[in-house]
Amino acid sequence: MWGQASATEDLGVLLAADGRHDDAAGSLDRALAIYHEIGSVRDSARVRKRLRGMGVRYRHWSYADQPVCGWDSLTETELNVSLLVADGWSNRKGAEQMFISAHTVAFHASCRSTPASS
């Protein structure tokens, strides 16, 4: 499935270069769906970045009951950032790896405060 997503993404890039933005967005959207389905976070982030460059915006968060503390309380982005930080990556390098801003990495790498229990 990854090969199909990659080929679909390549088609979207070629269509965008040819000025066929609607077709390109459709192709990139299909690639994004496949990458998301197979759990390819980095590839999904790259496609979302391509789509943002074309003016297409997606809100890719979801709402779910999550624990308030511990590893299970982290969002997917927070977990990915924490793993990069644990490996010694700088905010800038982590941002490049994840196709997000260094400010977003810094935000997710900062300690989250939780309400004090009574």
Side-chain angles (χ1 to χ4, degrees):
M1 285 188 74
W2 182 89
Q4 178 185 3
S6 180
T8 305
E9 179 184 358
D10 290 345
L11 175 61
V13 170
L14 291 172
L15 290 168
D18 195 38
R20 298 173 53 190
H21 294 293
D22 288 342
D23 294 332
S27 185
L28 291 171
D29 190 49
R30 285 188 296 280
L32 179 61
I34 297 168
Y35 285 138
H36 181 74
E37 182 180 338
I38 63 175
S40 186
V41 175
R42 185 164 190 232
D43 293 316
S44 295
R46 183 184 58 250
V47 172
R48 277 194 305 274
K49 183 177 181 179
R50 289 185 195 280
L51 286 164
R52 279 193 310 271
M54 296 171 54
V56 178
R57 301 269 191 262
Y58 288 104
R59 292 190 171 138
H60 56 275
W61 58 79
S62 60
Y63 296 96
D65 290 331
Q66 286 186 283
V68 294
C69 63
W71 286 105
D72 290 337
S73 71
L74 299 177
T75 66
E76 184 178 346
T77 302
E78 289 169 335
L79 179 59
N80 290 332
V81 166
S82 67
L83 294 174
L84 291 175
V85 168
D87 284 340
W89 290 60
S90 68
N91 288 355
R92 184 176 54 81
K93 288 295 185 186
E96 289 172 5
Q97 175 74 13
M98 294 180 66
F99 296 96
I100 58 178
S101 76
H103 294 289
T104 301
V105 171
F107 173 79
H108 287 303
S110 66
C111 295
R112 290 193 288 162
S113 61
T114 58
S117 56
S118 310

